[in-house]
C-alpha cells in the first residue's frame, strides 16, 4: 500500500486488501467475541436496563388518563386504521399533509398486536407505542452520549433529563409523529458518531435520518446537526466519501415520497386531484403565522408559555449550555441541533405544538455534556480508542479519558450535579406525579361521551366529532363514510380536501349530533374566522349528555336545524369532579 497502511484502514473500520477470513490472527469464535463484548460493556448494559425500566414505568404509568388528548392523536390513529383496514393512507382523501411513513409505522404496530380489535380506545393504543418510542430514544441517547465521550454517569444523566422532565413526559406520551421520528434521528446521530468511521455507518445514518424525516418533515431541521457530527467524526481522508454516502442514501430514501406522488399523477396541481406541491405550499405559506415567540399576545408566545409552564428548566439549562456546546468540539453538533430550531422559532411563521419534542434530546445532552466537561479537561475520548498509529496521524490530540484530573474539578462536577438533581427533583416531582396518576383524569370525560353515544345514538345518525373518538365509534358500528365526520372536514377554509363538502351539500344541517369537546372549542377559539359550519351546528343544538366539568367538559349535543328544543334521547348525569 502507498500512503495508507493496514493500521490506518483498521482505524477507519476497514480491512487491508490482503486480509482473508482464514488469517489465524483475525479469526475469533463467536463465543469469544461475545465474551469480549460482554466484558467491555456489561456495566453499560446493566445501566441501560435500569434506565430503560425507569423510563418505561414512568411513561406507562397513567398514560391512559393524562395528558388531555390532542386532535392530532386521533387523526394519526385514524390514518393508521385506514392503512390497516382499507389499504388507503387516510380515511378521507390523502392530501399530502404529512409524509405517511409515521402512521405506516403505527399501522404496523396495530397490525402486529391486533390492537384495534382488542382495545376499546384507539388513542391509548397509540400511546402504548409512544412508551416504546420513549424507551428506544432513551437507549439511543445513552449510546450517543457515550460515543460523544461522556462518562457513563453523565450519559445516564442525559437520559434522565430527557425522559423525566414534565415537559418530556407530557409530550412524549402523545401520539405525535415527532415521537416516532425522533428515535430514527437519534439512530442517525449514533451511526454518524460510529468509532469505526466507516462508509457503511455513514450510509446507514443517511437511511435512518431519511426515515425520521419521512415520519415527520420538521425533523429536517436536525440535518445540520447530523452533518456536523459526521464531518467532525469522519477521518479527513475519507470525509468526502462519508458525507457523500450520507447525502446519497438519505436523498434516495426521501425521493420515494415525491416519486409516489409523481406515479399517482399528484406531484403538481391539476383539476380534480390533490397534489404534493399544493400541500407543501400550504404548509410553508398557507398556514396563518403564529407570530413572534417574544411578542406577548401572539400564538407563538402562548405556545412558548405552555412549554415553560410544564418545565422551564430543561430548555433553560440547554440554552445556558449552548456556549459550552459550541466551544467543546465533541458537543458542537448537539449545540447546532438545539440552536437551529431555536433560530427557526425566533424567525416567526407557524409554530406547531409538537415542535418542542425534537429539541429535548439536544438540550439534555448539552446539559450532561457540560457537567462531564467540568469533571475533566476536554479530551478527544473517542479518538483515544483508535490505534496508536492512527492517533499519530491526527486522530486524538488531547489526553485520554481517565487521565489525572484535579480533585477540585471532580468536586465541582459532583456538587453541580447534586445541586441540579435537588432543584429538578423539587420542581419536577409535582408535575410528574400529576401525569402518573395524582392529578385529575383529563381523558375520562371523552370516554364517557363516547360510551353514551355508543349506547343511545342510532347507527344511521351522523355525528360531528373530533378525531380522538373517530376510530372508536367506527369500530362500534358507525359508518366511516360520512357517518362520523371529523369537524375540520365540514369547513374548506383550513381543509384542502373538498370531498366531504361535496358529498354533504347541506353541511351541518345533514348531521344529527355533535360531540362538543375541548379540542373543538380550542380550534374555534384559535380560528375565529373559520369553521363556520361547526359553529352553526353547535349554535343550533341542545345538550343531551354532559361529562366532566369546567374547561374539560365534553357534551353530546343534538342538532336541531330549525333551532327548536329537543328532549334528551336518554338521561345522562355529568361526571362528578374528583
Amino acid at each position: 500500500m502507498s500512503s495508507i497502511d493496514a493500521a490506518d484502514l483498521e482505524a477507519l473500520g476497514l480491512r487491508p486488501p490482503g486480509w482473508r477470513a482464514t488469517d489465524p490472527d483475525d479469526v475469533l469464535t463467536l463465543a469469544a467475541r461475545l465474551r469480549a463484548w460482554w466484558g467491555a460493556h456489561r456495566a453499560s448494559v446493566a445501566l441501560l436496563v435500569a434506565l430503560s425500566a425507569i423510563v418505561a414505568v414512568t411513561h406507562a404509568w397513567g398514560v391512559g388518563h393524562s395528558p388531555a388528548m390532542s386532535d392530532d392523536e386521533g387523526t394519526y390513529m385514524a390514518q393508521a386504521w385506514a392503512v390497516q383496514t382499507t389499504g388507503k393512507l387516510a380515511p378521507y382523501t390523502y392530501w399530502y399533509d404529512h409524509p405517511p411513513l409515521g402512521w405506516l409505522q403505527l399501522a404496523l404496530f396495530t397490525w402486529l398486536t391486533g390492537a384495534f380489535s382488542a382495545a376499546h380506545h384507539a388513542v391509548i393504543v397509540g400511546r402504548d407505542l409512544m412508551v416504546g418510542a420513549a424507551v428506544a430514544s432513551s437507549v439511543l441517547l445513552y449510546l450517543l452520549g457515550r460515543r460523544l465521550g461522556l462518562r457513563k454517569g453523565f450519559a445516564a444523566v442525559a437520559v434522565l433529563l430527557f425522559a423525566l422532565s414534565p415537559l418530556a413526559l407530557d409530550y412524549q406520551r402523545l401520539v405525535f409523529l415527532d415521537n416516532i421520528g425522533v428515535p430514527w434521528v437519534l439512530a442517525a446521530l449514533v451511526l454518524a458518531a460510529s468509532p469505526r468511521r466507516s462508509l457503511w455507518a455513514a450510509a446507514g445514518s443517511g437511511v435512518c435520518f431519511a426515515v425520521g424525516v419521512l415520519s415527520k418533515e420538521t425533523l429536517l431541521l436536525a440535518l445540520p446537526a447530523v452533518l456536523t457530527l459526521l464531518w467532525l467524526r469522519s477521518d479527513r481522508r475519507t470525509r468526502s466519501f462519508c458525507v457523500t454516502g450520507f447525502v446519497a442514501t438519505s436523498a434516495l430514501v426521501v425521493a420515494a415520497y415525491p416519486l409516489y406522488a409523481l406515479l399517482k399523477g399528484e406531484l403538481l396541481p391539476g383539476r380534480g386531484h390533490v397534489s404534493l406541491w399544493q400541500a407543501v405550499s400550504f404548509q410553508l405559506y398557507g398556514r396563518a403565522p403564529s407570530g413572534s415567540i417574544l411578542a406577548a399576545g401572539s400564538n407563538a408566545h402562548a405556545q412558548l408559555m405552555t412549554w415553560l409552564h410544564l418545565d422551564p428548566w430543561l430548555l433553560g439549562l440547554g440554552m445556558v449550555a449552548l456556549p459550552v456546546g459550541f466551544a467543546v468540539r465533541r458537543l458542537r453538533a448537539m449545540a447546532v441541533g438545539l440552536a437551529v430550531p431555536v433560530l427557526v422559532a425566533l424567525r416567526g411563521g407557524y409554530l406547531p405544538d409538537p415542535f418542542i419534542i425534537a429539541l429535548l434530546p439536544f438540550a439534555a445532552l448539552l446539559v450532561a455534556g457540560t457537567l462531564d466537561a467540568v469533571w475533566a479537561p476536554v479530551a478527544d475520548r473517542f479518538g483515544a480508542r483508535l490505534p496508536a498509529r492512527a492517533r499519530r496521524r491526527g486522530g486524538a490530540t488531547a489526553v485520554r479519558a481517565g487521565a489525572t484530573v484535579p480533585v477540585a474539578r471532580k468536586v465541582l462536577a459532583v456538587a453541580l450535579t447534586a445541586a441540579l438533581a435537588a432543584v429538578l427533583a423539587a420542581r419536577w416531582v409535582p408535575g410528574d406525579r400529576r401525569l402518573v396518576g395524582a392529578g385529575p383524569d383529563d381523558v375520562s370525560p371523552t370516554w364517557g361521551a363516547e360510551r353514551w353515544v355508543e349506547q343511545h345514538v342510532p347507527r344511521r345518525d351522523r355525528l360531528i366529532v373530533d378525531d380522538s373518538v373517530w376510530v372508536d365509534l367506527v369500530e362500534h358500528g358507525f359508518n366511516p363514510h360520512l357517518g362520523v365526520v371529523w369537524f375540520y372536514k365540514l369547513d374548506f377554509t383550513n381543509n384542502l380536501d373538498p370531498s366531504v363538502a361535496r358529498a354533504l351539500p347541506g353541511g351541518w344541517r345533514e348531521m344529527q349530533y355533535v360531540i362538543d369537546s375541548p379540542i373543538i372549542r380550542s380550534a374555534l377559539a384559535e380560528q375565529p374566522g373559520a369553521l363556520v359550519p361547526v359553529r352553526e351546528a353547535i349554535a343550533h343544538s341542545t345538550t343531551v349528555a354532559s361529562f366532566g366539568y369546567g374547561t374539560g367538559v365534553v357534551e353530546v349535543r343534538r342538532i336541531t336545524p330549525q333551532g327548536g328544543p329537543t328532549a334528551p334521547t336518554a338521561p345522562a348525569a355529568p361526571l362528578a369532579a374528583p
Side-chain angles (χ1 to χ4, degrees), residues 219-241:
L219 293 175
L220 187 63
L221 293 175
L223 178 61
V226 181
L227 285 175
T228 299
L229 185 59
L230 187 63
W231 182 270
L232 293 174
R233 294 301 304 272
S234 58
D235 189 274
R236 66 180 185 275
R237 292 161 295 178
T238 57
R239 180 172 291 152
S240 59
F241 295 101

Side-chain angles (χ1 to χ4, degrees), residues 93 101 160 395:
T93 302
L101 191 53
L160 296 175

Side-chain angles (χ1 to χ4, degrees), residues 3-99:
S3 59
I4 302 179
D5 60 13
D8 295 321
L9 290 172
E10 186 71 25
L12 299 176
L14 305 174
R15 291 290 190 180
W19 179 85
R20 300 188 307 276
T22 55
D23 289 346
D25 293 338
D26 289 273
V27 175
L28 288 175
T29 65
L30 178 61
R33 289 179 181 272
L34 290 175
R35 283 196 300 270
W37 183 90
W38 177 252
H41 299 287
R42 58 187 176 188
S44 285
V45 171
L47 184 56
L48 264 180
V49 169
L51 289 172
S52 298
I54 292 172
V55 174
V57 170
T58 306
H59 281 253
W61 191 0
V63 72
H65 81 264
S66 188
M69 286 188 293
S70 162
D71 197 42
D72 284 349
E73 293 188 276
T75 299
Y76 302 139
M77 293 309 300
Q79 289 167 322
W81 177 91
V83 170
Q84 182 178 330
T85 58
T86 69
K88 298 180 180 179
L89 291 177
Y92 303 104
T93 302
Y94 173 61
W95 59 275
Y96 300 91
D97 53 337
H98 296 297

Side-chain angles (χ1 to χ4, degrees), residues 57-217:
V57 170
T58 306
H59 281 253
W61 191 0
V63 72
H65 81 264
S66 188
M69 286 188 293
S70 162
D71 197 42
D72 284 349
E73 293 188 276
T75 299
Y76 302 139
M77 293 309 300
Q79 289 167 322
W81 177 91
V83 170
Q84 182 178 330
T85 58
T86 69
K88 298 180 180 179
L89 291 177
Y92 303 104
T93 302
Y94 173 61
W95 59 275
Y96 300 91
D97 53 337
H98 296 297
L101 191 53
W103 61 84
L104 286 174
Q105 295 171 71
L106 272 172
L108 177 62
F109 171 75
T110 58
W111 175 71
L112 290 174
T113 60
F116 283 133
S117 58
H120 189 79
H121 304 304
V123 170
I124 304 306
V125 169
R127 289 189 177 187
D128 291 339
L129 179 59
M130 296 306 103
V131 173
V135 173
S137 295
S138 299
V139 171
L140 290 166
L141 192 73
Y142 178 87
L143 296 176
L144 179 58
R146 293 291 290 150
R147 289 192 169 185
L148 292 177
L150 273 65
R151 292 157 182 81
K152 295 183 182 69
F154 293 113
V157 167
V159 172
L160 296 175
L161 290 172
F162 168 74
L164 299 186
S165 162
L167 178 62
L169 193 58
D170 189 292
Y171 275 85
Q172 288 171 8
R173 285 181 166 190
L174 297 172
V175 188
F176 283 151
L177 300 180
D178 308 71
N179 286 324
I180 299 174
V182 162
W184 290 104
V185 172
L186 289 173
L189 289 163
V190 169
L191 288 171
S194 171
R196 297 180 67 87
R197 308 185 181 195
S198 67
L199 179 60
W200 289 110
S205 177
V207 172
C208 289
F209 182 76
V211 173
V213 171
L214 290 179
S215 299
K216 185 59 181 294
E217 68 279 4

Side-chain angles (χ1 to χ4, degrees), residues 129-508:
L129 179 59
M130 296 306 103
V131 173
V135 173
S137 295
S138 299
V139 171
L140 290 166
L141 192 73
Y142 178 87
L143 296 176
L144 179 58
R146 293 291 290 150
R147 289 192 169 185
L148 292 177
L150 273 65
R151 292 157 182 81
K152 295 183 182 69
F154 293 113
V157 167
V159 172
L160 296 175
L161 290 172
F162 168 74
L164 299 186
S165 162
L167 178 62
L169 193 58
D170 189 292
Y171 275 85
Q172 288 171 8
R173 285 181 166 190
L174 297 172
V175 188
F176 283 151
L177 300 180
D178 308 71
N179 286 324
I180 299 174
V182 162
W184 290 104
V185 172
L186 289 173
L189 289 163
V190 169
L191 288 171
S194 171
R196 297 180 67 87
R197 308 185 181 195
S198 67
L199 179 60
W200 289 110
S205 177
V207 172
C208 289
F209 182 76
V211 173
V213 171
L214 290 179
S215 299
K216 185 59 181 294
E217 68 279 4
T218 54
L219 293 175
L220 187 63
L221 293 175
L223 178 61
V226 181
L227 285 175
T228 299
L229 185 59
L230 187 63
W231 182 270
L232 293 174
R233 294 301 304 272
S234 58
D235 189 274
R236 66 180 185 275
R237 292 161 295 178
T238 57
R239 180 172 291 152
S240 59
F241 295 101
C242 290
V243 172
T244 301
F246 171 87
V247 173
T249 54
S250 59
L252 284 173
V253 176
V254 170
Y257 186 42
L259 179 61
Y260 168 81
L262 178 64
L263 293 176
K264 291 201 66 178
E266 296 174 345
L267 181 63
L268 300 175
R271 175 172 294 184
H273 67 80
V274 296
S275 73
L276 175 60
W277 182 265
Q278 183 184 24
V280 171
S281 299
F282 172 77
Q283 295 283 8
L284 293 177
Y285 313 112
R287 309 190 75 161
S290 302
S292 170
I293 62 174
L294 303 178
S298 69
N299 289 337
H301 185 266
Q303 185 64 71
L304 176 64
M305 291 298 104
T306 298
W307 296 335
L308 296 181
H309 174 74
L310 287 168
D311 174 35
W313 287 94
L314 181 54
L315 282 179
L317 290 171
M319 296 300 296
V320 170
L322 261 181
V324 177
F326 280 111
V328 178
R329 184 175 182 270
R330 59 193 170 124
L331 300 177
R332 200 163 295 155
M334 303 303 103
V336 172
L338 180 60
V340 169
V342 168
L343 291 175
V344 169
L346 288 171
R347 177 187 58 86
Y350 177 71
L351 185 64
D353 184 32
F355 186 83
I356 192 64
I357 293 173
L359 278 67
L360 301 179
F362 295 108
L365 278 171
L366 280 175
V367 175
T370 298
L371 293 172
D372 185 83
V374 171
W375 176 275
V378 176
D380 195 358
R381 300 181 64 212
F382 41 78
R385 299 182 187 137
L386 296 177
R389 181 161 186 161
R391 294 203 302 272
R392 288 197 299 270
R393 287 181 176 268
T397 57
V399 297
R400 179 169 182 159
T404 302
V405 178
V407 175
R409 277 185 174 273
K410 293 187 176 182
V411 172
L412 178 59
V414 170
L416 288 174
T417 305
L420 179 64
V423 171
L424 294 184
R427 301 289 183 176
W428 286 3
V429 167
D432 287 348
R433 287 183 68 249
R434 179 186 63 82
L435 288 166
V436 300
D441 191 330
D442 298 319
V443 176
S444 287
T446 300
W447 302 152
E450 182 183 296
R451 286 193 299 270
W452 191 93
V453 168
E454 292 168 1
Q455 294 168 5
H456 298 101
V457 176
R459 297 303 187 263
R460 65 179 180 274
D461 284 356
R462 290 176 173 151
L463 299 91
I464 303 172
V465 301
D466 65 61
D467 257 356
S468 66
V469 299
W470 191 92
V471 173
D472 297 341
L473 293 178
V474 168
E475 284 288 301
H476 282 82
F478 287 89
N479 190 342
H481 305 290
L482 307 178
V484 185
V485 177
W486 183 30
F487 71 98
Y488 268 113
K489 294 298 178 179
L490 287 179
D491 182 38
F492 195 72
T493 57
N494 194 29
N495 171 27
L496 300 185
D497 171 23
S499 60
V500 173
R502 284 199 301 261
L504 298 174
W508 65 270

